[in-house]
Amino acid sequence: MATKRYVTKYRQLREVYERITGKSISDITWYRVVASLKRYFSLEIESANAMSIVETYAGIKRKCPAFSFRTSDFSERWQAFKHFYDAKHLQYTGQQFLVALADYLKIKLDAVPRSTRYYWFSQAGLSYNALHSYQSQDLALVAFVATQWAINKRSRDCVSGHRQSPPVKSANSQVLTLVK
């Protein structure tokens, strides 16, 4: 049974989330978000850092609405996010980050269209500039978005890498007339 204090804090956290994202959230969706925050961010509703965790997550959601714990590839995307987020004191220029990201994702940077690079940054609420200096924490969301592209690229390459057999042609034209 939840205590009155727990329920009050739970409601406050939800209100903070809704205020930051600018959107209301249904009861069941909020329940799922809290469960995911408990799993990935070690959220404890009554802890002193609960508000900070929810504010951080809501900020991420506001910048990148596609950020979701529910996707099948979330684990890989989360690892990329954490890799750059945990390097709190590192700074990268835009170009240095793309090189580090390509190395981390094991992709060739020249295979990434220029417009895609800009898209990654825009989805994270940033403007891309090759010479601009960014904090690693700010780039973590870019890594999260870029990882989805890398996953999709790997799947496309895997599918196109396999030679498809040519269509089988019937040597007998009577087979076609029988199908009609």
Side-chain angles (χ1 to χ4, degrees), residues 105-160:
L105 295 174
K106 296 176 180 35
I107 59 173
K108 293 182 180 185
L109 190 55
D110 57 353
V112 180
R114 190 173 163 181
S115 60
T116 300
R117 300 171 194 188
Y118 283 94
Y119 174 77
W120 293 343
F121 276 77
S122 70
Q123 289 299 294
L126 298 171
S127 294
Y128 173 70
N129 182 328
L131 303 175
H132 182 75
S133 184
Y134 301 90
Q135 289 289 338
S136 183
Q137 279 187 310
D138 296 334
L139 295 169
L141 202 48
V142 177
F144 185 85
V145 173
T147 303
Q148 179 64 52
W149 181 89
I151 291 167
N152 291 343
K153 175 96 171 102
R154 277 186 239 130
S155 346
R156 284 189 306 267
D157 290 350
C158 183
V159 169
S160 66

Side-chain angles (χ1 to χ4, degrees), residues 16-17 19-20 50-60 62:
V16 166
Y17 174 85
R19 180 179 45 79
I20 291 172
M51 189 68 69
S52 175
I53 290 171
V54 170
E55 288 171 343
T56 300
Y57 175 70
I60 291 170
R62 185 186 71 234

Side-chain angles (χ1 to χ4, degrees), residues 8 90 92 101 125 170:
T8 302
L90 287 181
Y92 294 97
L101 180 64
S170 173

Side-chain angles (χ1 to χ4, degrees), residues 39-52:
R39 179 176 176 191
Y40 293 104
F41 288 93
S42 303
L43 173 72
E44 292 182 30
I45 298 296
E46 295 183 75
S47 71
N49 67 345
M51 189 68 69
S52 175

